[in-house]
Amino acid sequence: MTQSKFLPFLLLLFIFPIISKGQSTPANKLITPRIRVIIDNDFSGDPDGLFALTHLVLSPSVEVRGVIGSHLNANDGFDKSKTQADNAAKKAAELLAVLKIKDQFPVIAGSNTAMVNDSTPVKSKAVDLIIKEASRTDTSLPLYILCGAGLTEIASAVLTEPKIADKLTLVWIGGPEYSDLALPPPNYSSPEYNLNIDINAARAVFNHSQLKLWQIPRDGYRQAILSYSELLLKVKPQGETGKYLAGALENVMKLIQQYHLNLGETYIIGDSPLVLLTALQSSFEADPSSSEYVLKPCPLINAQGGYDYNAKGRNIRVYRRLDINLMFNDFFAKLELAK
């Protein structure tokens, strides 16, 4: 190697570690962000959203641009208050304090209520955040909106500013099974849980927008099963964060017992595929290459929360099989590295 060629190489060795610090752990300074993400979740509800948020902020390949606390269904047993989104944002901030992550990105409450119809957006600072981030022209990093609950904020953002629809990818945990791909579980709920949080918002996204959509329906996210023994051995011992997450899940298990229900020895950490499909994409030709999806014409969501076939619907990804081993093993490793 000539001296003229060696100098730029030497400079890279010194500069690279300086520019490689992300919002996460110092475990590996060879990784820099290659995507931007905003995560939107009902953090005051099912604790699976807290697991996903932890995994996301410990992932150095993503640049977290915001955390949105969103509402649940108004009748949800996890939080029957009228300030569900505010409570969700507070819960997210509480977790980030445990992680010792402060002021690196905004934590904002979305709307505390669902949309009144499928064409009238709600107004919130969370909607403004999505629009502002999607409208940026000073970065080439692709933007993903990660929704682990309802779709109120992203639907409202696109209704407010339709031009952002082709500037981001929506990854959504929600929706029932497609009848040609999977059967629903025994005693299934209808509408599906996340879709039922805001049916009008789902109708706005599916029926009226041109958003690029990656969907993980119920048969997909139900694959993300964590055993209680793994929680005790691989999560709970991992510092304050591990104790916090395990405690949140154990509190739910205790609550369920009061209603004489038996959860067995597993729990569905159903929001973590949001991290699998983004932070853990393949190195070259980046894509979630170890998980399987089909392309389907985007269906119409009817007023009851079911699918109606739409031959003219844009193609969307529907994930059928997820690389759960990669997802959980990476999560366990990052927890231990961050301890």
Side-chain angles (χ1 to χ4, degrees):
M1 185 180 290
T2 65
Q3 185 176 4
S4 61
K5 291 182 179 180
F6 181 74
L7 182 59
F9 177 77
L10 188 62
L11 287 172
L12 280 175
L13 289 179
F14 285 99
I15 294 172
F16 199 78
I18 296 173
I19 64 175
S20 297
K21 294 180 180 179
Q23 80 281 334
S24 57
T25 67
N28 193 332
K29 295 181 179 180
L30 295 177
I31 303 171
T32 56
R34 60 176 180 174
I35 63 173
R36 294 173 292 148
V37 298
I38 294 174
I39 184 168
D40 178 340
N41 216 315
D42 52 355
F43 298 111
S44 69
D46 190 328
D48 63 341
L50 299 173
F51 280 70
L53 178 58
T54 301
H55 196 175
L56 190 71
V57 300
L58 294 179
S59 297
S61 66
V62 302
E63 181 183 342
V64 177
R65 299 299 301 167
V67 176
I68 297 171
S70 57
H71 68 87
L72 298 152
N73 185 280
N75 299 315
D76 196 288
F78 277 112
D79 184 351
K80 291 183 177 293
S81 75
K82 296 186 182 301
T83 55
Q84 294 171 340
D86 297 308
N87 297 343
K90 290 176 183 177
K91 199 70 177 178
E94 179 181 276
L95 171 62
L96 294 173
V98 173
L99 283 158
K100 297 181 173 55
I101 294 175
K102 185 179 179 182
D103 300 329
Q104 295 190 22
F105 38 77
V107 180
I108 301 174
S111 171
N112 284 304
T113 59
M115 291 171 53
V116 296
N117 56 47
D118 62 4
S119 59
T120 304
V122 301
K123 295 181 180 180
S124 72
K125 291 182 179 179
V127 171
D128 296 339
L129 171 68
I130 293 173
I131 294 173
K132 180 180 179 181
E133 190 63 34
S135 302
R136 286 177 60 186
T137 58
D138 62 335
T139 177
S140 60
L141 297 182
L143 174 63
Y144 291 79
I145 308 297
L146 311 183
C147 292
L151 294 170
T152 306
E153 273 65 50
I154 182 61
S156 296
V158 175
L159 285 169
T160 303
E161 182 51 82
K163 292 180 181 179
I164 69 170
D166 63 352
K167 300 181 184 299
L168 60 92
T169 299
L170 169 61
V171 187
W172 181 47
I173 305 283
E177 299 77 7
Y178 287 83
S179 59
D180 60 330
L181 298 179
L183 295 173
N187 305 311
Y188 65 94
S189 61
S190 184
E192 182 273 332
Y193 184 89
N194 280 353
L195 193 151
N196 195 44
I197 291 174
D198 192 342
I199 293 178
N200 285 323
R203 285 166 61 84
V205 167
F206 278 71
N207 301 8
H208 306 309
S209 83
Q210 291 300 313
L211 278 167
K212 184 178 180 181
L213 174 61
W214 296 359
Q215 182 188 7
I216 306 97
R218 181 165 50 198
D219 57 297
Y221 67 71
R222 279 172 54 83
Q223 297 169 32
I225 299 176
L226 180 71
S227 71
Y228 185 56
S229 57
E230 285 182 307
L231 184 79
L232 294 179
L233 286 177
K234 297 182 179 180
V235 178
K236 198 168 188 176
Q238 304 307 328
E240 293 302 314
T241 303
K243 291 179 184 177
Y244 180 92
L245 293 174
L249 193 50
E250 288 175 329
N251 286 340
V252 173
M253 296 170 71
K254 293 173 185 176
L255 178 65
I256 293 295
Q257 285 181 342
Q258 295 177 15
Y259 294 95
H260 306 290
L261 297 174
N262 191 339
L263 292 179
E265 57 182 279
T266 65
Y267 200 88
I268 296 171
I269 310 297
D271 290 338
S272 291
L274 295 172
V275 186
L276 171 67
L277 300 183
T278 53
L280 301 180
Q281 292 183 12
S282 56
S283 50
F284 296 101
E285 301 167 333
D287 203 50
S289 60
S290 60
S291 297
E292 299 175 7
Y293 67 88
V294 296
L295 289 177
K296 293 185 71 69
C298 185
L300 300 172
I301 304 290
N302 59 40
Q304 293 73 44
Y307 299 134
D308 288 338
Y309 181 69
N310 179 18
K312 297 181 180 179
R314 67 194 185 281
N315 278 342
I316 64 172
R317 289 189 184 189
V318 177
Y319 275 86
R320 298 192 60 191
R321 186 61 53 188
L322 301 169
D323 189 346
I324 299 302
N325 284 333
L326 171 62
M327 183 183 80
F328 278 134
N329 286 335
D330 183 73
F331 175 61
F332 298 148
K334 283 171 178 167
L335 270 184
E336 185 170 358
L337 287 168
K339 184 169 62 172

